[in-house]
């Protein structure tokens, strides 16, 4: 069984949803660790109450960035982490961690990248920008993590029609429901089927269906 670390900074609904998918057998993995930069995040509380190991590592609390990277890498090794799923994680993943987990760090973004992504485009900022733009379709993107925010190879996208939405909050609600449907499915696909990354594209071999 693959051991995953979930990195999260806030509410943690995707974390809870992944945990539930594991309980229901939809996702054949174990969440071996939750990493957060924010000791006060609800996700930290939830994980602790479910007896999942939690480590709070905040890069801003380190005077030496190298030490932060070393501690993070040691923590991931200590818990035998094989894959990392970001779920509302607000910090950049250090290059050394990306090198240690090639094509094994995944993020979920609440819009259709490359639109509405990049630095500062997180949480409600994304849905506000989408709302203001007048776009009638937004969606969910699941992608590999590289050294730039929201720029890794795209694994999966699901469009969400928001023609009738009258506020960013309405958009957020619709998109989150779709995130919860697709994230466990796509992770399961990644863990159980061979894939190939060519530039920014990800191909699953032909026998496996699209997640
Ligand atoms: C989600 O919308 C996810 O796409 C984004 O951050 C949000 C996290 O929500 N990366 P939650 O903490 O999982 O509820």
């Amino acid at each position: 069984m693959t051991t995953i670390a979930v990195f999260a900074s806030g509410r943690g609904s995707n974390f809870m949803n992944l945990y539930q998918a594991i309980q229901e057998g939809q996702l054949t993995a174990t969440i071996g660790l939750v990493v957060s930069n924010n000791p006060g995040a609800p996700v930290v509380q939830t994980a602790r109450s479910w007896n999942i190991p939690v480590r709070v590592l905040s890069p801003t609390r380190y005077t030496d960035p190298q030490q932060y990277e070393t501690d993070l890498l040691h923590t991931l090794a200590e818990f035998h982490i094989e894959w990392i799923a970001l779920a509302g994680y607000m910090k950049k993943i250090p290059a050394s961690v990306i090198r240690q987990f090639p094509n094994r760090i995944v993020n979920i973004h609440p819009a259709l990248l490359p639109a509405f992504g990049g630095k500062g485009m997180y949480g409600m900022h994304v849905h506000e920008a989408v709302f203001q733009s007048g776009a009638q379709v937004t969606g969910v993107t699941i992608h590999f993590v590289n050294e730039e925010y929201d720029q890794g190879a795209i694994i999966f996208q699901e469009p969400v029609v928001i023609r009738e939405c009258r506020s960013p909050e309405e958009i957020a609600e619709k998109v989150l429901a779709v995130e919860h449907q697709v994230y466990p499915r796509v992770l399961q696909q990644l863990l159980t089927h061979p894939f190939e990354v060519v530039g920014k594209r990800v191909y699953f071999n032909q026998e496996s269906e699209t997640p």
Side-chain angles (χ1 to χ4, degrees):
M1 188 99 72
T2 310
T3 306
I4 300 178
V6 176
F7 282 38
S9 304
R11 167 179 65 181
S13 74
N14 277 287
F15 157 70
M16 292 190 260
N17 181 62
L18 291 177
Y19 182 80
Q20 200 180 338
I22 290 172
Q23 300 306 109
E24 288 168 1
Q26 251 183 286
L27 176 57
T28 48
T30 322
I31 300 178
L33 177 67
V34 168
V35 172
S36 187
N37 59 301
N38 175 9
V43 66
V44 167
Q45 285 287 97
T46 312
R48 287 203 174 116
S49 71
W50 292 348
N51 290 319
I52 297 173
V54 177
R55 289 292 179 270
V56 176
L57 289 169
S58 169
T60 48
R61 293 197 175 194
Y62 282 82
T63 42
D64 176 7
Q66 201 54 55
Q67 190 58 48
Y68 161 69
E69 297 199 20
T70 307
D71 286 0
L72 185 52
L73 283 167
H74 279 159
T75 307
L76 295 169
E78 181 192 342
F79 288 90
H80 307 290
I81 299 306
E82 296 166 282
W83 278 74
I84 298 172
L86 308 188
Y89 186 64
M90 307 294 282
K91 295 288 170 191
K92 246 190 182 160
I93 302 297
S96 54
V97 177
I98 294 169
R99 274 197 303 275
Q100 190 71 31
F101 292 84
N103 293 331
R104 278 182 286 131
I105 309 178
V106 178
N107 182 42
I108 185 159
H109 184 79
L112 294 177
L113 293 173
F116 305 109
K119 197 167 163 51
M121 274 294 178
Y122 60 88
M124 281 308 293
H125 297 298
V126 177
H127 304 300
E128 269 150 24
V130 169
F131 184 73
Q132 295 302 337
S133 75
Q136 297 193 352
V137 180
T138 183
V140 175
T141 301
I142 296 172
H143 64 93
F144 285 119
V145 171
N146 67 7
E147 284 164 45
E148 301 305 322
Y149 279 118
D150 301 327
Q151 286 192 25
I154 292 176
I155 303 160
F156 180 78
Q157 292 191 304
E158 182 75 24
V160 176
V161 176
I162 50 165
R163 197 172 296 122
E164 310 298 329
C165 286
R166 292 197 174 256
S167 68
E169 288 74 20
E170 253 185 77
I171 297 175
E173 199 181 320
K174 273 193 116 175
V175 170
L176 190 66
V178 175
E179 289 185 45
H180 292 168
Q181 283 168 22
V182 299
Y183 208 9
R185 254 173 35 208
V186 173
L187 281 172
Q188 178 67 4
Q189 172 95 1
L190 285 166
L191 299 185
T192 54
H193 292 81
F195 59 85
E196 191 190 351
V197 181
V198 184
K200 294 225 167 184
R201 295 187 170 272
V202 178
Y203 299 96
F204 285 92
N205 73 8
Q206 288 187 333
E207 294 95 72
S208 57
E209 286 168 28
T210 351

